[in-house]
Amino acid sequence: KNQVEQSPQSLIILEGKNCTLQCNYTVSPFSNLRWYKQDTGRGPVSLTIMTFSENTKSNGRYTATLDADTKQSSLHITASQLSDSASYICVVSGGGDYKLSFGAGTTVTVRA
Amino acid sequence: DGGITQSPKYLFRKEGQNVTLSCEQNLNHDAMYWYRQDPGQGLRLIYYSQIVNDFQKGDIAEGYSVSREKKESFPLTVTSAQKNPTAFYLCASTPSRWSSQGSNTEAFFGQGTRLTVV
């Protein structure tokens, strides 16, 4: 069964600090991995997309890494801002035609 | 502005009532999807459509129905057969089927509809 596990479930950080979110997956075959940011009560918005051959990709203060051998990805948030408070969802595709496997998300709270 | 629009933002359903959630996109995307989001769980696929007049069941289709009469529209009906409909519903679209797409294909999500049974 294709699964995507995210950790931690939630975290609280102070404004200006860095944090790293983890994503482990068992989806096979693997096509690509996406990180989405979802504000409370809103739809997810894409941050990064990575394929098998890509190890790292950045989008402003967000940097995603991928280790396809160990089937692990991380999302690093640098110099956090209050607006970074949201749920971050890891999404892996490749298990079939329409099959996208979603993680449950990590809820990040940034405090002033 | 191109995008995907869901309405209403909040919806209340009485026991035994059918309700319909709207999803419209002006991105000229072929494929559209409906997901359900519950607290502490990942999104789960309800239905998807790759082309007009065609749609397929996802992982949790029981108690739901859809139609795809126009490329721009993919409404979801939550029927009385759905015993636990309270959830956040998300509609998404992509240019074509996810499996046939390149690595940089963007998937757009609507802003969601929160359905509550009263």
Side-chain angles (χ1 to χ4, degrees), chain B residues 43-107:
Chain B
L43 275 68
R44 292 182 290 168
L45 182 66
I46 304 173
Y47 268 96
Y48 71 105
S49 168
Q50 300 173 39
I51 196 170
V52 173
N53 292 324
D54 181 68
F55 48 83
Q56 306 295 328
K57 292 182 179 180
D59 299 316
I60 55 166
E62 185 175 352
Y64 301 97
S65 66
V66 294
S67 63
R68 186 84 186 276
E69 297 176 1
K70 298 187 300 181
K71 188 175 185 178
E72 306 80 29
S73 179
F74 191 40
L76 173 73
T77 297
V78 184
T79 74
S80 57
Q82 171 50 239
K83 299 306 179 187
N84 185 24
T86 295
F88 189 56
Y89 291 86
L90 284 163
C91 179
S93 72
T94 58
S96 59
R97 284 168 52 184
W98 253 305
S99 64
S100 65
Q101 297 165 11
S103 62
N104 294 321
T105 300
E106 184 60 88

Side-chain angles (χ1 to χ4, degrees), chain A residues 25 50 52 54-55 65-74:
Chain A
Y25 62 92
M50 289 187 292
F52 184 91
E54 295 175 297
N55 300 117
T65 65
L66 174 64
D67 185 334
D69 291 332
T70 62
K71 298 187 177 182
Q72 296 179 325
S73 176
S74 66

Side-chain angles (χ1 to χ4, degrees), chain A residues 13-75:
Chain A
I13 57 174
L14 292 177
E15 188 177 15
K17 298 296 185 183
N18 304 336
C19 68
T20 300
L21 287 53
Q22 299 291 339
C23 174
N24 297 336
Y25 62 92
T26 61
V27 176
S28 183
F30 173 83
S31 177
N32 59 54
L33 184 147
R34 297 173 167 89
W35 282 95
Y36 282 87
K37 178 186 179 186
Q38 184 178 22
D39 292 317
T40 301
R42 307 293 294 268
V45 176
S46 179
L47 293 175
T48 64
I49 303 174
M50 289 187 292
T51 62
F52 184 91
S53 60
E54 295 175 297
N55 300 117
T56 185
K57 184 165 281 189
S58 293
N59 178 359
R61 293 179 297 101
Y62 300 102
T63 299
T65 65
L66 174 64
D67 185 334
D69 291 332
T70 62
K71 298 187 177 182
Q72 296 179 325
S73 176
S74 66
L75 180 69

Side-chain angles (χ1 to χ4, degrees), chain A residues 10-14 81-82 84-86 88 107-111:
Chain A
S10 63
L11 65 93
I12 300 173
I13 57 174
L14 292 177
Q81 300 177 359
L82 296 177
D84 292 331
S85 295
Y88 292 84
T107 300
V108 174
T109 303
V110 181
R111 295 206 192 281

